[in-house]
């Protein structure tokens, strides 16, 4: 699984604090520490709508279709563009193997079944079945790629829900990678503090 930021608000702290100050008709203090405290206070007061003024766009590669199904449930302030199995051939598909299956030494059984499904998929294609119909035989473990655009409010929602220890392992791993990528890009995870502490 890979997570890469490909676009986003240049200075989210400025964008959010500037919008918040419009509401209160106060001047921006050009000191970052004052901006941070001002925005923190807004978040503590439940004014998360202000976070919608900043966004981040991510390219995600190598998550399972099972993880994708969980991810797209988070439609809140989010846009998804997913590699289509209708148009993109899956003849060289990769598969995500759950750690529990590896831990119990069942990866060969799992891989054999995935390969069988892939051979069957290819046989259907070779016999003239459209990709959009042949794809029905592919397992949930089939890896996919996508681009997601979150505003920071939607991203806070995702991290609140999916960094939780009760979340399923793959989407939890993805949420932590997203959080880490955003923190590295912006020099801090200030906007997501307290969400997903391990």
């Amino acid at each position: 699984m890979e997570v890469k930021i490909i676009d986003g608000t240049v200075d989210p702290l400025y964008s959010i604090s500037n919008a918040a100050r419009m509401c209160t008709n106060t001047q921006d203090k050009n000191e970052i520490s004052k901006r941070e405290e001002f925005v923190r206070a807004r978040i503590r007061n439940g004014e998360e709508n202000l976070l919608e003024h900043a966004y981040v766009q991510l390219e995600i590669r190598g998550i399972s279709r099972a993880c994708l199904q969980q991810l797209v449930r988070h439609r809140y302030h989010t846009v998804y563009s997913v590699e289509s199995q209708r148009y993109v051939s899956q003849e060289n598909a990769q598969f995500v193997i759950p750690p529990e299956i590896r831990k119990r030494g069942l990866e060969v059984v799992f891989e054999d079944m995935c390969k069988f499904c892939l051979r069957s998929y290819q046989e259907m294609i070779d016999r003239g079945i459209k990709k959009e119909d042949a794809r029905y035989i592919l397992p949930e473990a089939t890896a996919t790629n996508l681009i997601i655009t979150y505003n920071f409010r939607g991203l806070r929602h995702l991290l609140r829900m999916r960094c939780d220890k009760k979340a399923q392992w793959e989407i939890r791993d993805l949420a932590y990678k997203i959080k880490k990528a955003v923190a590295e890009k912006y020099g801090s995870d200030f906007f997501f503090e307290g969400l997903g502490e391990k």
Side-chain angles (χ1 to χ4, degrees):
M1 167 190 317
E2 297 173 33
V3 173
K4 179 171 75 170
I5 293 180
I6 56 176
D7 197 7
T9 302
V10 174
D11 186 345
L13 185 57
Y14 175 77
S15 296
I16 293 166
S17 65
N18 192 43
R21 288 184 187 285
M22 174 60 74
C23 299
T24 58
N25 195 22
T26 56
Q27 292 291 341
D28 183 15
K29 316 286 192 263
N30 273 327
E31 299 169 40
I32 289 176
S33 63
K34 291 185 179 179
R35 281 186 191 155
E36 282 186 7
E37 187 46 46
F38 183 69
V39 173
R40 271 193 177 94
R42 304 291 67 77
I43 293 170
R44 279 193 304 268
N45 287 343
E47 300 172 52
E48 289 192 4
N49 61 308
L50 294 166
L51 298 174
E52 295 175 37
H53 289 284
Y55 79 96
V56 64
Q57 189 175 72
L58 304 146
E59 181 178 327
I60 296 173
R61 297 191 158 276
I63 64 168
S64 72
R65 299 294 283 199
C67 183
L68 175 67
Q69 285 188 21
Q70 293 179 66
L71 187 61
V72 298
R73 289 186 182 125
H74 298 278
R75 299 292 307 170
Y76 190 62
H77 308 285
T78 307
V79 180
Y80 299 93
S81 294
V82 181
E83 183 178 85
S84 173
Q85 289 182 331
R86 267 187 89 193
Y87 301 108
V88 178
S89 173
Q90 299 298 297
E91 64 185 317
N92 296 313
Q94 301 295 309
F95 301 98
V96 176
I97 302 174
E100 186 67 17
I101 289 172
R102 287 189 192 281
K103 181 178 163 186
R104 294 180 184 239
L106 295 169
E107 64 267 26
V108 172
V109 173
F110 189 90
E111 288 172 340
D112 286 348
M113 183 52 70
C114 289
K115 289 175 185 172
F116 174 77
C117 290
L118 200 52
R119 284 192 305 273
S120 300
Y121 167 86
Q122 193 56 52
E123 184 177 339
M124 288 184 205
I125 300 290
D126 293 344
R127 291 183 179 205
I129 301 296
K130 293 178 183 176
K131 289 188 283 280
E132 66 185 43
D133 292 331
R135 67 183 167 158
Y136 278 75
I137 201 165
L138 295 172
E140 290 288 292
T142 306
T144 193
N145 307 311
L146 63 151
I147 290 178
I148 307 174
T149 303
Y150 290 105
N151 70 37
F152 279 28
R153 185 180 193 181
L155 188 50
R156 272 183 67 85
H157 174 72
L158 173 80
L159 297 178
R160 185 179 296 119
M161 301 298 291
R162 298 305 184 160
C163 286
D164 189 279
K165 63 184 176 188
K166 292 180 277 189
Q168 195 241 358
W169 68 272
E170 188 180 10
I171 197 161
R172 189 175 57 243
D173 288 351
L174 176 60
Y176 274 110
K177 285 186 178 191
I178 290 171
K179 184 179 180 190
K180 182 178 182 215
V182 171
E184 288 173 359
K185 165 81 174 168
Y186 295 112
S188 158
D189 68 352
F190 153 69
F191 299 103
F192 315 109
E193 286 177 350
L195 303 177
E197 300 302 322
K198 284 193 176 184

